[in-house]
Amino acid sequence: MKDKKNRAFLKWAGGKYKLIEDLKAKLPDGNKLIEPFVGAGSVFLNTQYPRYLLNDINPDLINLYNIVKKQADNYVRDSIELFTAVNNAEQRYYEIRQEFNQTNDLYERAVFFLYLNRHGYNGLCRYNNSGKFNVPFGRYKAPYYPEKEIHFFAEKSQQAIFTCTSFERVFAKARQGAIIYCDPPYAPISKTAMFNSYAKGGFTLDNQIKLADLAKRASETRNIPVLVSNHDTEFTRDIYQGADITKLQVSRFISQNGNKRLKVAELLALYSKK
């Protein structure tokens, strides 16, 4: 019988819920799991390390996690109030989105963030060049309020420290005995996608190369195993040379109406001293 998997309380593009078994099979034992790109936290929620260092470059995400860790009951009480039929309307969504973009109150932002995540299109998290959240309304019949998932996350997060910094700084914090799992923004599948995705900042190809180099050096010079997930392309195969590569086929939505799926080739690259 398979262990019951725990779902994240946020919807998240590229979340690792469906790959948990593959990831757990490759993750070594250690006294701490470090995630420089924690996202929705599916790996954190479905592994059993004594301690966790969980990082993301998105300050709204890390602020939300720290609030849930410290005051889950208050957070549930306040955020569930937004999950009503009245608020599940296009005009109301855009009003709340505007409130989120205008407030600097960290608790308010955390409450609005969950509403936007569950009511926005495809659970996307996207900001414009001015730093304003700009995901359109999702048009769902009755967005799910993840109360059980929030409480589970809060309980498990007592083992975790959440930070909001660069992946380079997170690597620098790692000590022997720790394991690092990296789920960076994926490298583009094609040269066309590469241009569209990387023309304006974001996680560049140079960032991909730097991450691969840090992973290799952490393993070779500091004896810290590193597991990286990414698209399986000529580019990623090249930059992960020397790692133990596992090939995966993962279902992805490929159309806006969400009913067309395509098997996409992904890989896991494990850097570990034999």
Side-chain angles (χ1 to χ4, degrees):
M1 180 178 170
K2 284 186 178 180
D3 291 338
K4 177 184 175 293
K5 291 197 294 183
N6 299 297
R7 283 193 178 275
F9 70 87
L10 294 173
K11 297 166 73 174
W12 208 254
K16 290 297 174 284
Y17 181 79
K18 291 179 180 176
L19 292 181
I20 289 300
E21 286 85 2
D22 297 292
L23 288 162
K24 287 172 73 170
K26 301 301 292 185
L27 280 167
D29 293 330
N31 59 32
K32 181 192 283 187
L33 180 65
I34 298 175
E35 293 193 58
F37 312 88
V38 68
S42 288
V43 175
F44 157 61
L45 293 168
N46 289 284
T47 51
Q48 298 299 326
Y49 290 89
R51 291 177 296 144
Y52 294 85
L53 174 59
L54 306 173
N55 180 81
D56 202 276
I57 203 67
N58 183 334
D60 286 316
L61 184 67
I62 297 304
N63 170 57
L64 168 60
Y65 289 165
N66 275 318
I67 284 172
V68 167
K69 175 182 177 179
K70 294 167 188 168
Q71 46 180 320
D73 289 342
N74 289 343
Y75 181 79
V76 166
R77 179 197 68 209
D78 295 330
S79 58
I80 201 170
E81 289 186 358
L82 291 176
F83 284 67
T84 63
V86 171
N87 287 329
N88 189 27
E90 188 166 6
Q91 183 178 345
R92 189 71 187 113
Y93 173 85
Y94 288 116
E95 288 171 357
I96 293 173
R97 192 181 77 174
Q98 185 174 5
E99 286 186 67
F100 172 80
N101 283 327
Q102 289 177 344
T103 185
N104 292 317
D105 183 286
L106 294 180
Y107 188 82
E108 275 192 347
R109 288 185 73 85
V111 168
F112 290 146
F113 191 87
L114 178 59
Y115 166 86
L116 294 170
N117 174 263
R118 286 278 168 179
H119 291 74
Y121 180 75
N122 269 6
L124 293 175
C125 184
R126 191 184 66 199
Y127 302 79
N128 64 21
N129 290 337
S130 302
K132 304 298 184 186
F133 190 89
N134 67 353
V135 175
F137 183 54
R139 303 182 187 282
Y140 299 109
K141 284 185 179 178
Y144 172 69
Y145 184 80
E147 183 169 357
K148 289 183 301 185
E149 292 85 348
I150 289 171
H151 282 299
F152 183 83
F153 188 101
E155 184 180 344
K156 191 166 176 64
S157 68
Q158 303 310 309
Q159 302 167 250
I161 292 172
F162 298 100
T163 62
C164 182
T165 188
S166 67
F167 69 88
E168 295 96 334
R169 288 186 176 180
V170 177
F171 266 83
K173 293 178 183 178
R175 298 292 179 265
Q176 201 164 327
I179 311 299
I180 301 177
Y181 168 59
C182 296
D183 183 27
Y186 274 17
I189 295 177
S190 66
K191 289 182 178 177
T192 305
M194 185 183 302
F195 177 79
N196 291 337
S197 301
Y198 291 79
K200 291 185 179 179
F203 202 79
T204 66
L205 297 185
D206 284 342
N207 291 142
Q208 299 280 1
I209 293 165
K210 186 166 192 177
L211 177 62
D213 182 56
L214 282 174
K216 184 177 181 181
R217 281 194 284 151
S219 169
E220 290 182 353
T221 66
R222 300 159 64 197
N223 198 25
I224 298 171
V226 183
L227 183 66
V228 187
S229 52
N230 214 320
H231 279 140
D232 187 355
T233 68
E234 194 175 328
F235 171 74
T236 55
R237 289 266 178 171
D238 184 50
I239 64 173
Y240 299 146
Q241 279 185 52
D244 175 21
I245 301 290
T246 302
K247 187 170 183 175
L248 305 170
Q249 291 289 325
V250 182
S251 292
R252 293 282 183 223
F253 290 119
I254 58 164
S255 68
Q256 285 194 332
N257 62 20
N259 62 12
K260 290 188 178 180
R261 283 179 170 270
L262 181 70
K263 289 284 188 180
V264 176
E266 298 192 12
L267 59 74
L268 298 175
L270 177 62
Y271 295 86
S272 180
K273 282 189 173 179
K274 300 292 185 283

